[in-house]
Amino acid sequence: EQAAKAKGGETDDSLMKGLEKARKDADGAKAKLASLAFDEGAATELTEKRKNIAAETKKYQAQIAQVESTLAHLDVFKTGNGVKGAVAKLVHVSPLNLAKTHSTALEVAAGGKLFQCVVDTAATAKSLLTNSKTKQRVTIIPLDKIRAPSTFPEDKKKAMKALAGSGSEFATPAIEFVGYE
């Protein structure tokens, strides 16, 4: 043993002590891991949900890119100088858990209005109309000329009352789940 120590080697006894210490450390780590109540099934499920959300996001980004390419030839949709962009690009459904079900309903309800151009002022709208080279009809919405309806709470109460007996307990006015920039 002394010859092994002299050459820089370890004795069997010291190797056994190291092995025993490593086993104790491993057992301690296993106990800590068990105390965390890690559920591998839940983790796998969350990973799947994350993948699905990423796929949905990619799909919506592709739809936005398609709308942008469709509108690219219209100079009125180029943002800057008071032009905000198309309504479709400025609104989003939130929270995300409603996006899948509510975005289709919103698209159907809004229809062609999603392609209207939003600008900051009526002066910007007038400038676009006079200086634009587009030959297509475009609706321009100046933000300084639009007003929110003042009867919204009463209208919501009437609508919810009308829907109460139809089994539509999940009816929600779009203004409550649509966000905008």
Side-chain angles (χ1 to χ4, degrees):
E1 280 185 27
Q2 289 178 351
K5 283 184 182 179
K7 290 184 179 179
E10 294 186 34
T11 64
D12 287 344
D13 192 34
S14 66
L15 287 174
M16 291 303 287
K17 286 180 184 178
L19 179 61
E20 189 61 33
K21 183 181 179 322
R23 284 184 179 154
K24 284 182 183 177
D25 290 345
D27 289 341
K30 285 180 185 177
K32 284 182 182 178
L33 185 60
S35 72
L36 294 177
F38 176 74
D39 183 2
E40 191 172 338
T44 303
E45 185 179 329
L46 287 173
T47 302
E48 270 307 305
K49 283 183 179 180
R50 185 174 156 264
K51 286 179 184 178
N52 290 339
I53 289 171
E56 287 284 319
T57 301
K58 195 176 240 185
K59 181 180 101 175
Y60 290 128
Q61 287 172 338
Q63 288 177 347
I64 288 170
Q66 182 181 6
V67 168
E68 286 176 341
S69 68
T70 302
L71 301 174
H73 69 284
L74 299 174
D75 58 340
V76 295
F77 287 100
K78 292 183 178 140
T79 57
N81 296 331
V83 178
K84 305 298 183 187
V87 172
K89 192 170 180 180
L90 299 173
V91 298
H92 56 77
V93 176
S94 91
L96 287 176
N97 62 337
L98 298 178
K100 188 172 187 176
T101 56
H102 289 57
S103 60
T104 302
L106 182 63
E107 288 174 29
V108 170
K113 292 180 181 180
L114 290 173
F115 301 102
Q116 294 178 355
C117 181
V118 179
V119 297
D120 59 352
T121 64
T124 303
K126 184 176 181 179
S127 173
L128 281 174
L129 290 173
T130 56
N131 299 326
S132 176
K133 295 179 179 121
T134 185
K135 293 179 181 160
Q136 291 184 322
R137 181 181 169 153
V138 177
T139 302
I140 300 175
I141 305 169
L143 291 175
D144 66 340
K145 296 294 181 184
I146 60 173
R147 301 284 177 250
S150 60
T151 61
F152 176 70
E154 292 81 25
D155 290 344
K156 179 184 175 187
K157 286 178 188 174
K158 287 179 188 175
M160 297 307 284
K161 187 175 181 180
L163 291 171
S166 67
S168 300
E169 65 271 7
F170 299 110
T172 306
I175 194 71
E176 292 186 10
F177 63 84
V178 174
Y180 53 90
E181 294 181 24

